[in-house]
C-alpha cells in the first residue's frame, strides 16, 4: 500500500518543505522495509555525460529535490568515473543522513570499453569502499550490479560480484542488493538463478512514450518480491525539448522521430520532458520512478508533472503524440 499526506520516516522537521512532502507518495521498496518517494533522483547528470556541469547548481538541485520529498537517490561510479558520486557526496553533506536513501552500483567503471567492466570480487569490494568515501556516508542503502548483460557470463556475477556484496552487507557497509540491465531477459535469468538474493531490479528506458516493454516482465519481478526501480522515462534525454547527448545509442530514425516530437512541443509552448515524465509515472507496480535532474528547474518540472499533472494544453499535445505512437516506433 502507498501512503499520501503522511510524513515518511525520512521527514526531518526544519529541513523539509512539509507541504511538498505531504503531497509526495511513498511506496514500499519491495520487501526492504523502506518506503521511498514515487519520484526518485537519478544523478548520472551530475557528470560530463550530460554536458558541462554547474556543480553549485547540481548541488542545489539535489537539496531542492530532497527538501520537496524525494528520498531515494541513485548514482554509479560509471557516471563521470566518480564525478557523480563526488558531487552528490558534497550535496549529501548538507542534508541530514536520515532524510534520504542512497543507491550506487558496481561493475561498470571506465569510458574505454576495454576497461569499462569488472565483475570481480576484488574490484567490487574496492568500488564499494570508494563509493562510501566519495558519498561521505557510513553505509549505502542499495548497491546494484550494473548492466549485467556485459559480464562475460552470469557465473562471474553470481559467484564473485554477488557474494562480495553479500559479505559487505554482513559488514554493515550496505543494506540491500540490486541488479540492473537494459535487456530484461537477462535480469529474469539472473533472478531465477539466484532466487531470493536480490532486493531490487532496475530497468531503464523500458517505460516510455515509445517503449512499453517493462509491462511484459513486471509481473515476474513482482512475483519474485523485488522492488522495481523504473528509470529514465525521458529515454536518456531523447524525450526532451533539448534532445539527447551526442553519445546516445538510439537509432537515427528514433532520434529523428523524437526531434520531430520535440519540435511539435516547442511550437506549442510545451516541454516534451514534462509530458514524458507524466506518462512515465502512470504505470502501476514499480516502487519508484527514477529521473535525472541536474538543475533546480528540472526538479521543478518533474515534480510538477507528479504534483499537478498536465494543463489542458499539455494533455492535448500528449494525446496527439500518443496518436502517433506507431511512427514513434513504440513496440
Amino acid at each position: 500500500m502507498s501512503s499520501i499526506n503522511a510524513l515518511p520516516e525520512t521527514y526531518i522537521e526544519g529541513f523539509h518543505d512539509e507541504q511538498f512532502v505531504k503531497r509526495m507518495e511513498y511506496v514500499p521498496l519491495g520487501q526492504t522495509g523502506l518506503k521511498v518517494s514515487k519520484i526518485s533522483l537519478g544523478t548520472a547528470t551530475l557528470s560530463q555525460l550530460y554536458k558541462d556541469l554547474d556543480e553549485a547548481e547540481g548541488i542545489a538541485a539535489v537539496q531542492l529535490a530532497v527538501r520537496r520529498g524525494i528520498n531515494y537517490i541513485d548514482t554509479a561510479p560509471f557516471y563521470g568515473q566518480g564525478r557523480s558520486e563526488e558531487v552528490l557526496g558534497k550535496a549529501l553533506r548538507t542534508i541530514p543522513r536520515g532524510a534520504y536513501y542512497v543507491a550506487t552500483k558496481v561493475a561498470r567503471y571506465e569510458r574505454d570499453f576495454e576497461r569499462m567492466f569488472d565483475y570481480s570480487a576484488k574490484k567490487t569490494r574496492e568500488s564499494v569502499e570508494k563509493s562510501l568515501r566519495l558519498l561521505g556516508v557510513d553505509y549505502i542503502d542499495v548497491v546494484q550490479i550494473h548492466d549485467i548483460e556485459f559480464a562475460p557470463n552470469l557465473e562471474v556475477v553470481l559467484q564473485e560480484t554477488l557474494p562480495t556484496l553479500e559479505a559487505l552487507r554482513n559488514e554493515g557497509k550496505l543494506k540491500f542488493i540490486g541488479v540492473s540491465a537494459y535487456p530484461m531477459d537477462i535480469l529474469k535469468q539472473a533472478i531465477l538463478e539466484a532466487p531470493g538474493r536480490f532486493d531490487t531490479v532496475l530497468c531503464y528506458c523500458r517505460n516510455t512514450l515509445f517503449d512499453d516493454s517493462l509491462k511484459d516482465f513486471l509481473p515476474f519481478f513482482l512475483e519474485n518480491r523485488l522492488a522495481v526501480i523504473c528509470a529514465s522515462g525521458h529515454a536518456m534525454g531523447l524525450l526532451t525539448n533539448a534532445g539527447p547527448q551526442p553519445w546516445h545509442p538510439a537509432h537515427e530514425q528514433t532520434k529523428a522521430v523524437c526531434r520531430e516530437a520535440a519540435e511539435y512541443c516547442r511550437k506549442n509552448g510545451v516541454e516534451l520532458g514534462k509530458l514524458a515524465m507524466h506518462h512515465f509515472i502512470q504505470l502501476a507496480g514499480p516502487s519508484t520512478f527514477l529521473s535525472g535532474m541536474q538543475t533546480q528547474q528540472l526538479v521543478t518540472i518533474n515534480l510538477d508533472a507528479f504534483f499537478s499533472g498536465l494543463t489542458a494544453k499539455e494533455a492535448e499535445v500528449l494525446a496527439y503524440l500518443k496518436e502517433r505512437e506507431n511512427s514513434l516506433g513504440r513496440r
Side-chain angles (χ1 to χ4, degrees), residues 225-240:
R225 300 163 63 85
L226 291 158
V228 178
I229 298 162
C230 186
S232 199
H234 299 98
M236 299 189 296
L238 271 178
L239 293 168
T240 64

Side-chain angles (χ1 to χ4, degrees), residues 177-213:
I177 298 171
V179 62
S180 81
Y182 181 68
M184 288 181 291
D185 54 351
I186 196 166
L187 288 170
K188 183 175 182 178
Q189 185 182 352
I191 291 159
L192 287 171
E193 293 191 22
R197 295 173 69 185
F198 292 110
D199 302 296
T200 71
V201 59
L202 186 150
C203 307
Y204 63 97
C205 302
R206 294 300 198 175
N207 176 38
T208 70
L209 285 168
F210 60 81
D211 187 328
D212 64 359
S213 54

Side-chain angles (χ1 to χ4, degrees), residues 27 65 170 289:
V27 182
N170 292 338
F289 295 85

Side-chain angles (χ1 to χ4, degrees), residues 5 16 27 29 47 66 94 99 105-106 121 130-131 136 140 168 178 198 205 223 232 263 287 310 326 331:
N5 301 323
H16 281 102
V27 182
L29 186 68
S47 72
V66 180
T94 70
K105 305 180 185 75
V106 295
K130 182 177 180 182
S131 293
I140 299 165
L168 288 161
F198 292 110
C205 302
E223 287 164 9
S232 199
E263 181 59 27
S287 295
L310 303 180
N326 289 334
R331 64 181 292 285

